[in-house]
Amino acid sequence: MTDKRALRARMRGLRLGFTGATVSTPPALHARFVPGGIVASYMPIAGEIDPAPLVAAARGAGCRIALPHVVDRPTPIRFLAADGPLVKGPFGLTQPATDAERLAPSVILAPLVAFDRAGNRLGWGAGHYDRAFAEHPNAWRVGVAWSVQEVTALTPDPWDVPLHAILTEKEWIEP
């Protein structure tokens, strides 16, 4: 399927219909959670897999947690400290307040619409995570998704940044 709009719609429908599973922290990811490290996570919306167990593991390892702060579609996201109050943001997001401390993550947990085993990802289409990955090139990029969101192959655009790993409720995938 080459039409990204149609693929997004189909995969979001699959994601919304998938419930009842959770994700756990595999050893390869847990090894990236180091004391003083910064892990960027997200607050799930629209059927996205809940990364709460991963956040708990990161906090247990002594990491600080950051969440994306979105202003609008064209403005790049910033990762802000998640240790203060959270507020409602655009697109139904829950995010840190504007004045929260800006952090540079060493690990970025990214929600997905679809993925393939080569580490390609399909997001919501605004390019927020691709720009964030480019801004933090040394951060380890982990897509978090339900197994039903896997597709055979995605054709990346020139600006797409591949993932280092994908975590589903069933497995840990390193391309």
Side-chain angles (χ1 to χ4, degrees):
M1 183 178 250
T2 58
D3 180 2
K4 285 187 177 183
R5 177 174 281 167
L7 180 58
R8 278 188 183 95
R10 184 171 68 86
M11 299 311 289
R12 283 195 302 252
L14 286 173
R15 185 176 69 190
L16 278 170
F18 194 84
T19 59
T22 60
V23 66
S24 60
T25 309
L29 179 56
H30 199 274
R32 298 280 176 162
F33 296 161
V34 297
I38 297 169
V39 175
S41 187
Y42 61 92
M43 299 296 290
I45 61 169
E48 292 172 342
I49 194 165
D50 188 350
L54 309 175
V55 169
R59 280 192 170 126
C63 296
R64 287 189 72 191
I65 304 301
L67 291 172
H69 183 271
V70 177
V71 174
D72 54 28
R73 189 176 175 89
T75 304
I77 60 173
R78 300 177 302 148
F79 292 111
L80 303 182
D83 47 12
L86 300 180
V87 299
K88 291 293 179 193
F91 314 114
L93 298 173
T94 301
Q95 60 187 22
T98 304
D99 60 349
E101 180 185 0
R102 188 172 186 164
L103 300 175
S106 53
V107 175
I108 300 174
L109 305 175
L112 307 176
V113 172
F115 69 92
D116 67 19
R117 289 189 175 253
N120 298 307
R121 58 176 283 283
L122 186 66
W124 285 89
H128 283 128
Y129 275 93
D130 288 313
R131 288 180 281 168
F133 293 162
E135 183 180 346
H136 303 285
N138 295 324
W140 213 51
R141 302 176 299 273
V142 180
V144 185
W146 301 115
S147 57
V148 297
Q149 294 172 251
E150 182 177 354
V151 296
T152 303
L154 292 169
T155 303
D157 288 314
W159 55 84
D160 288 337
V161 179
L163 300 165
H164 292 109
I166 300 111
L167 177 63
T168 74
E169 82 287 0
K170 290 184 178 180
E171 65 183 317
W172 174 252
I173 302 163
E174 288 190 52

